[in-house]
Amino acid sequence: MSQLPNCPKCNSEYTYEDGTLLVCPECAYEWSADEQQNDESEKIIKDSVGNVLQDGDSITVIKDLKVKGSSSVVKVGTKVKNIRLVDGDHDIDCKVEGIGPMKLKSEFVKKA
């Protein structure tokens, strides 16, 4: 179960989702999740199917990926453990068994 943010107006912890909006039942304040994400300094990174990724998660590669500067390929179905989220174009830092340290894009993985 995901942890919803507290209400930005009254700081109530009893917020809930209503479609694309977040709602506070105590003060009736409504705001979009996008507003909340812009307020937070931490960027939320999601996999190819929309699951939120966190440091230490295990992921599975969903597409054959060529390794730049090498003839190696990360095959579809390769499981990668203990990922680390970073800022930038490639937002996952990890070690792929048999290949070594790599940076991956979250659009080519799914949470295992």
Side-chain angles (χ1 to χ4, degrees):
M1 187 172 171
S2 65
Q3 178 68 23
L4 294 175
N6 289 351
C7 175
K9 201 165 197 173
C10 71
N11 204 27
S12 169
E13 62 182 336
Y14 301 109
T15 58
Y16 63 94
E17 291 182 28
D18 185 15
T20 60
L21 295 176
L22 297 172
V23 180
C24 175
E26 293 185 10
C27 69
Y29 183 69
E30 296 181 356
W31 72 100
S32 71
D34 295 334
E35 288 176 16
Q36 184 67 25
Q37 289 176 6
N38 292 338
D39 293 341
E40 296 175 359
S41 61
E42 186 177 323
K43 182 179 175 187
I44 295 177
I45 299 175
K46 296 183 180 183
D47 67 0
S48 61
V49 288
N51 296 323
V52 176
L53 296 173
Q54 297 178 347
D55 287 342
D57 282 344
S58 294
I59 56 172
T60 304
V61 178
I62 62 165
K63 176 183 176 183
D64 284 346
L65 302 172
K66 294 180 183 177
V67 179
K68 190 173 185 178
S70 173
S71 61
S72 301
V73 175
V74 179
K75 293 286 190 182
V76 65
T78 301
K79 190 168 185 179
V80 180
K81 298 178 184 176
N82 200 18
I83 65 169
R84 191 168 55 107
L85 302 178
V86 294
D87 289 332
D89 187 32
H90 292 71
D91 39 25
I92 298 173
D93 205 6
C94 61
K95 286 186 181 178
V96 178
E97 192 173 323
I99 295 178
M102 287 191 72
K103 291 191 176 216
L104 300 173
K105 291 186 176 185
S106 58
E107 62 194 68
F108 299 120
V109 301
K110 69 177 181 177
K111 196 170 184 175

